[in-house]
Amino acid sequence: MQSYERLLAENKIWAKEKLAADPEYFNRLVHVQNPEFLWIGCSDSRVPANEITCTQPGEIFVHREEVDVIKDEKAQLNRMVELNVQEQVLNLAKTSIIQKAWKERNTPHLHGWVYDLQDGLIKPIQEMQAGTHIDNLYEFDDL
């Protein structure tokens, strides 16, 4: 048996056990995706979010960032900083103030940089030219 086949077999056992304990378990899951909480965390399999918070499937939405594949803690932290900078540049672009300036003056250009204390160099992380199209959900129509 291939290792992935073991996972499939174990899944069948798990599903059967869930149904035996609660025949409506999967029916509820189909209709439940209304989490009150967003958990942003690592994908460490030793610490499942729903188990350590005593929540059921559908009660907590778990997001796991790309930094999990980075094994070096310092490199992981640096990547988190870079991702934060990217997100903050995007947050600026979502504001009516920036979008109005883009529309009226074609400025400012947004730049997200990280300064590295180790070598004193600035690392460009994110750049958005004036007028950059962002998701329609965040674009103001009435500026």
Side-chain angles (χ1 to χ4, degrees):
M1 179 182 293
Q2 299 287 334
S3 59
Y4 74 88
E5 291 174 322
R6 181 182 61 83
L7 294 177
L8 296 173
E10 292 291 335
N11 172 253
K12 288 178 183 176
I13 294 168
W14 173 83
K16 186 176 180 180
E17 288 173 354
K18 287 293 186 183
L19 285 174
D22 179 1
E24 291 300 311
Y25 182 80
F26 293 107
N27 289 332
R28 277 196 315 279
L29 287 183
V30 170
H31 302 290
V32 175
Q33 180 62 357
N34 191 14
E36 183 178 351
F37 305 100
L38 168 62
W39 177 286
I40 300 175
C42 72
S43 63
D44 190 329
S45 62
R46 298 168 298 174
V47 189
N50 62 305
E51 287 192 24
I52 65 174
T53 60
C54 292
T55 55
Q56 295 299 312
E59 288 185 314
I60 186 167
F61 186 84
V62 179
H63 174 72
R64 294 182 169 101
E65 300 164 353
E66 68 180 71
V67 297
D68 298 334
V69 297
I70 302 171
K71 299 305 176 199
D72 178 65
E73 188 175 328
K74 183 177 178 183
Q76 208 175 40
L77 177 62
N78 288 341
R79 185 61 184 143
M80 288 293 294
V81 169
E82 292 172 359
L83 290 170
N84 183 47
V85 168
Q86 286 178 340
E87 195 64 27
Q88 297 315 315
V89 170
L90 180 58
N91 285 340
L92 282 172
K94 292 176 185 177
T95 66
S96 61
I97 296 167
I98 293 296
Q99 290 182 30
K100 186 174 183 179
W102 282 357
K103 182 178 181 181
E104 294 176 355
R105 299 186 304 280
N106 201 36
T107 61
H109 302 301
L110 305 178
H111 300 268
W113 297 345
V114 173
Y115 173 76
D116 190 340
L117 289 172
Q118 299 297 313
D119 60 16
L121 298 176
I122 293 172
K123 180 180 179 182
I125 301 298
Q126 177 80 9
E127 179 179 342
M128 293 183 83
Q129 298 293 321
T132 298
H133 174 72
I134 58 175
D135 191 301
N136 289 335
L137 178 66
Y138 303 109
E139 288 186 349
F140 288 87
D141 295 325
D142 56 350
L143 296 175

